[in-house]
Amino acid sequence: MEPANVNSPVNPLWLLVRVNLLQSWRRLLSIRRQSHLLTGLTGAFVAGYLALAFWLFYRGLQFANRFPGLGTLLVERLLFLLFACLFALLLFSNLVICYTNLFKNREAVFLLTMPLTARAVFQWKFLESVVLASWAFLYLIAPLLAAYGITQGVPWHFYPVVVVLVAVSIVLPGAAGAGLAVVLARYLDRRVFQILVVGGALALLLAAIFWLKPEPLPPDSVESRVLETLDRMLAKTRFAEAAFLPSFWVSTGVLNWAEGAYAAAGFFGLVLLSHVLFWGFLSFTRLGRPFAEAFSVVQSRGSVFGQWQWFKTLGERRKERAWRTGPLDWFLGGLSRMPADVRALIAKDLRMFWRDTTQWGQTIMLFGLLAVYIVNLRHFTSQLSNPFWVHLVSYLNLGACALNLATLTTRFVFPQFSLEGKRLWIVGMAPLGLARVLLTKFWMTGIASLILTLGLMALSCQMLSLPAHRTLFFGLAITIMTFTLTGLAVGLGALYPNFKEDNPGKIVSGFGGTFCLVLSFLYILAAVVLLALGSPWAPARLSIQWMKLWSWLVFLGGSLALGYLPMKLALRRVATAEI
């Protein structure tokens, strides 16, 4: 793995950073020159989110501060909990992105064949992974910290200090994620390691379920002291105040600096900096050789389950009946009314999705987070007695399910047409035709998304103890939104394809993916508001009789237009495309 020209006067890491920054800058300039719409749309979306999030955080913090004593305690606990949860998410995000960037990336394979040390390649990929995993974290918490500073009346130097604290803190989950990714890649084929990983994950899941189990309040809690009742209600959040957590150092530094305790804030800032320097330097300088060994192991092994006898037996049986059809072909073969060419296309797309570990791995993580969300919904049922809050939470749940649907369609459905790549001419010259290919992808992804989203909606409505007629209402609404968002993603994916990339993440990052994401979010926001206004169960203060019919008409018309027009334009384009 070591190069022949080690004594080159040019620092290889600096060379990689400079080249990639130059490429990114030129790509940004080319996008700005080619599409002013993309530049304006992206800028408006970024500014709009920052303004809306800042306003919401500002009003929420103002509302909490109206309660003397209680507001300060509640805001501090929320900051501790926010940073703790975001650090945990950052760790998982760095683990997934580091593993993909280090061991499942064509650029890493290419760089390791060049006159570069494995340490330089690891250092570059480490920096790239930390930036990719952390930019959203910084983007999300910036409006909250700005709103907190304004509500607390902090001096001007609070903001640069907070920026430095947060920027330094992202190194720790990055270093931990990179180390775990290297260990996971190196020893994933060991039976003992697999047992430990699965057992540890199950133990953490059981511990989380036990820990998050709500503690019922005593019947006389209304007459007891408010601080004691609030402390019992927030008892499950005390883990965020553990002194050994990096999130505690950041939160305490932010709170102390806002209160003028600069010495205490500086102490926790130095504690954070010392750990960042130690673990960051250790990861940056000592993981090059383990990365090279793990990379060689990953590229040379066949399956991570090779140590299990039942898996070997299953593989031998598959070889014996290799000439026979598999379970997917057997299942699709049962759909006798479906044309054979359509069945073959569906089988091809499903196999390609299953063989891409990155895609279904991210899907599992997404639905794992959603499972945590659904499990915690049951804690609200005992508190929802007012019709206004029942109405509000049920539509917030509809918005959450719809946002999850938009994430699925933008991340996995939009790139489907572009992933055909240079092989598109094979599909286009087949008797199936590109128009039927597009329609097949629409119905396949739409039905798959509908099954997942309807299940999620039904389960969440059950957790919220909603009656059957309301569950049916939300099921009908999410069905319409599913086919609308699927048509939008499939249509824009064919109108703005990128056949030069085989990475779905980079395909989504282009103009079409950004446009699809922005339109999806705007549609969901408008749809949830219209459905809430047109709901037959809306409270009297939110209910306007003449608006109910118009709300439903606008929702149905907008859904039809947003889902049908992109598909119609895409079908017209692929029908006249020259291959």
Side-chain angles (χ1 to χ4, degrees):
M1 288 296 184
E2 298 297 328
N5 186 19
V6 180
N7 298 321
S8 174
V10 181
N11 188 342
L13 176 61
W14 168 243
L15 179 62
L16 289 171
V17 172
R18 186 177 62 182
V19 168
N20 281 272
L21 287 177
L22 184 60
Q23 287 180 345
S24 301
W25 176 250
R26 289 176 177 175
R27 191 181 300 114
L28 182 62
L29 292 179
S30 66
I31 292 175
R32 186 175 65 87
R33 288 193 297 265
Q34 293 175 4
S35 177
H36 295 285
L37 177 62
L38 173 61
T39 307
L41 187 65
T42 305
F45 183 73
V46 170
Y49 166 78
L50 291 175
L52 179 62
F54 171 79
W55 180 78
L56 292 175
F57 285 130
Y58 179 73
R59 294 299 300 270
L61 292 174
Q62 272 190 330
F63 176 77
N65 288 329
R66 291 175 186 173
F67 303 94
L70 294 179
T72 303
L73 175 63
L74 185 60
V75 170
E76 289 183 358
R77 188 65 62 88
L78 286 176
L79 280 179
F80 281 114
L81 189 62
L82 172 69
F83 276 102
C85 293
L86 288 179
F87 264 69
L89 293 177
L90 265 182
L91 177 61
F92 285 108
S93 178
N94 277 281
L95 173 60
V96 173
I97 293 179
C98 281
Y99 186 87
T100 304
N101 250 358
L102 293 173
F103 306 105
K104 299 293 182 179
N105 187 273
R106 289 188 177 183
E107 184 185 7
V109 177
F110 171 75
L111 291 176
L112 287 173
T113 63
M114 303 301 291
L116 296 171
T117 61
R119 186 175 71 175
V121 176
F122 172 80
Q123 289 172 346
W124 159 242
K125 286 299 176 182
F126 172 75
L127 292 176
E128 184 183 28
S129 301
V130 170
V131 172
L132 289 175
S134 305
W135 72 267
F137 165 75
L138 301 176
Y139 183 64
L140 288 172
I141 66 171
L144 172 61
L145 294 177
Y148 174 77
I150 292 178
T151 54
Q152 298 298 319
V154 298
W156 65 269
H157 48 75
F158 168 82
Y159 301 101
V161 170
V162 168
V163 170
V164 173
L165 278 176
V166 174
V168 170
S169 65
I170 64 176
V171 178
L172 283 179
L180 290 175
V182 172
V183 173
L184 187 67
R186 179 64 180 84
Y187 300 105
L188 190 59
D189 57 341
R190 304 291 180 87
R191 180 186 298 183
V192 176
F193 186 78
Q194 294 170 7
I195 295 175
L196 290 176
V197 169
V198 175
L202 292 177
L204 287 176
L205 179 62
L206 294 176
I209 293 175
F210 177 78
W211 178 260
L212 294 175
K213 185 177 181 181
E215 182 179 353
L217 294 176
D220 57 344
S221 59
V222 178
E223 301 177 0
S224 60
R225 297 181 59 182
V226 178
L227 286 177
E228 293 180 359
T229 304
L230 183 63
D231 187 63
R232 292 194 62 179
M233 292 176 63
L234 299 178
K236 301 300 183 181
T237 64
R238 291 177 183 171
F239 73 93
E241 296 183 346
F244 59 86
L245 292 177
S247 59
F248 174 80
W249 309 331
V250 180
S251 306
T252 308
V254 171
L255 293 172
N256 285 331
W257 198 278
E259 295 172 358
Y262 303 127
F267 169 76
F268 284 103
L270 291 176
V271 171
L272 177 66
L273 181 62
S274 62
H275 283 79
V276 167
L277 290 176
F278 176 77
W279 293 108
F281 179 79
L282 194 64
S283 302
F284 209 64
T285 59
R286 291 293 179 265
L287 284 180
R289 186 177 294 276
F291 158 68
E293 296 175 357
F295 185 88
S296 178
V297 171
V298 169
Q299 302 301 321
S300 59
R301 68 187 174 204
S303 172
V304 297
F305 301 108
Q307 299 294 328
W308 299 92
Q309 185 61 38
W310 65 268
F311 191 83
K312 292 181 179 179
T313 306
L314 180 62
E316 294 174 357
R317 291 179 179 176
R318 285 183 177 178
K319 291 180 181 179
E320 293 176 358
R321 60 172 186 266
W323 57 273
R324 302 178 185 176
T325 57
L328 181 59
D329 300 300
W330 176 82
F331 172 75
L332 294 176
L335 305 176
S336 58
R337 296 186 178 182
M338 184 181 296
D341 50 2
V342 174
R343 294 200 303 266
L345 179 62
I346 294 176
K348 187 267 296 182
D349 285 345
L350 292 178
R351 284 196 175 98
M352 293 296 294
F353 180 81
W354 176 251
R355 290 170 183 173
D356 192 346
T357 309
T358 305
Q359 291 204 61
W360 61 261
Q362 292 178 0
T363 307
I364 291 176
M365 288 193 62
L366 176 63
F367 279 94
L369 295 175
L370 288 173
V372 175
Y373 159 73
I374 292 176
V375 168
N376 284 275
L377 273 179
R378 57 191 174 91
H379 301 334
F380 292 101
T381 56
S382 60
Q383 310 295 331
L384 296 178
S385 56
N386 190 305
F388 173 78
W389 291 111
V390 173
H391 186 76
L392 178 63
V393 172
S394 62
Y395 279 91
L396 288 177
N397 176 63
L398 174 64
C401 295
L403 288 174
N404 167 66
L405 175 63
T407 303
L408 287 176
T409 55
T410 305
R411 177 61 181 82
F412 300 110
V413 178
F414 176 84
Q416 288 300 312
F417 190 77
S418 299
L419 287 176
E420 300 293 342
K422 298 179 180 179
R423 303 174 298 274
L424 182 66
W425 68 272
I426 302 176
V427 182
M429 296 297 291
L432 182 65
L434 286 180
R436 290 184 64 192
V437 168
L438 206 63
L439 288 174
T440 302
K441 290 181 180 291
F442 167 76
W443 287 110
M444 179 186 67
T445 55
I447 293 174
S449 302
L450 181 62
I451 292 173
L452 296 174
T453 311
L454 272 181
L456 177 65
M457 177 58 68
L459 187 58
S460 58
C461 288
Q462 183 181 3
M463 290 294 180
L464 290 172
S465 301
L466 296 180
H469 57 278
R470 291 201 183 189
T471 303
L472 183 62
F473 170 82
F474 286 118
L476 177 62
I478 203 66
T479 300
I480 297 173
M481 297 173 73
T482 298
F483 285 105
T484 299
L485 292 174
T486 304
L488 177 66
V490 174
L492 291 181
L495 291 173
Y496 300 99
N498 184 3
F499 299 118
K500 297 180 180 179
E501 290 287 347
D502 57 358
N503 187 350
K506 293 184 179 180
I507 294 174
V508 174
S509 301
F511 170 73
T514 306
F515 192 42
C516 179
L517 181 66
V518 173
L519 286 181
S520 300
F521 283 177
L522 293 178
Y523 166 72
I524 290 171
L525 178 62
V528 172
V529 172
L530 289 171
L531 289 172
L533 292 176
S535 172
W537 308 286
R541 49 182 152 173
L542 296 179
S543 178
I544 303 177
Q545 294 298 327
W546 64 269
M547 286 189 61
K548 289 185 177 182
L549 178 61
W550 285 104
S551 298
W552 268 97
L553 291 177
V554 173
F555 167 70
L556 293 175
S559 300
L560 180 63
L562 194 64
Y564 175 73
L565 289 180
M567 281 296 299
K568 182 178 180 180
L569 295 175
L571 289 172
R572 182 183 301 175
R573 179 170 182 175
V574 299
T576 58
E578 296 183 1
I579 302 176

